[in-house]
Amino acid sequence: MQKSGIYSSKYKEEFSAKLLPDAEIILNVYKILRNLVKSDNLQTAIMQMESYVFDTDQFELKFTHQFGKKDVYNFEIEVGDLDLDPRNIATELGLEVDLPEDTPEFWKNWNDAVNLCADQLSDEELIEIFRSYV
């Protein structure tokens, strides 16, 4: 899954692709994509999550357990009507809001602390991760 767009925008996109349930094929697709984007400044975070989504007429509430190097738990409130403030909804639900810094440095540090880095794993380690999902 890849998300594109600005957090506060009504227009966001999510892209997903169904892959064949074969860990070696997934590894080869990853290698092809990685070869297309050659850079030493590219993060190859493996974001592993379990999410629970609750839809209402006014908003979507997603609780997430993210894991890799360590476990973290967070939530996201996505509103369809931009006149609604997700912070107010969180307060009404008794959820404490702790918004991250929206800077490249923050997210780089987050990925380094929480997520595995594909470029630092062997093919065998990547295949084992992929096998856990197919």
Side-chain angles (χ1 to χ4, degrees), residues 51-110:
S51 296
Y52 302 92
V53 179
F54 302 90
D55 280 318
T56 74
D57 292 337
Q58 296 181 320
F59 61 89
E60 173 187 282
L61 173 62
K62 184 189 306 178
F63 291 105
T64 302
H65 166 219
Q66 188 171 351
F67 56 93
K69 291 180 183 172
K70 70 177 187 177
D71 295 299
V72 294
Y73 300 87
N74 51 54
F75 70 91
E76 173 184 348
I77 297 173
E78 199 170 297
V79 296
D81 179 352
L82 294 180
D83 291 331
L84 295 173
D85 187 339
R87 290 174 289 237
N88 292 340
I89 295 169
T91 300
E92 289 174 20
L93 295 172
L95 299 171
E96 183 179 333
V97 176
D98 182 17
L99 294 174
E101 297 173 44
D102 195 13
T103 64
E105 182 181 358
F106 173 86
W107 291 113
K108 181 186 181 320
N109 291 336
W110 173 273

Side-chain angles (χ1 to χ4, degrees), residues 36-50:
L36 290 173
V37 186
K38 287 286 188 191
S39 173
D40 293 334
N41 198 24
L42 180 72
Q43 286 191 305
T44 58
I46 298 175
M47 295 181 178
Q48 299 178 89
M49 300 179 195
E50 297 173 325

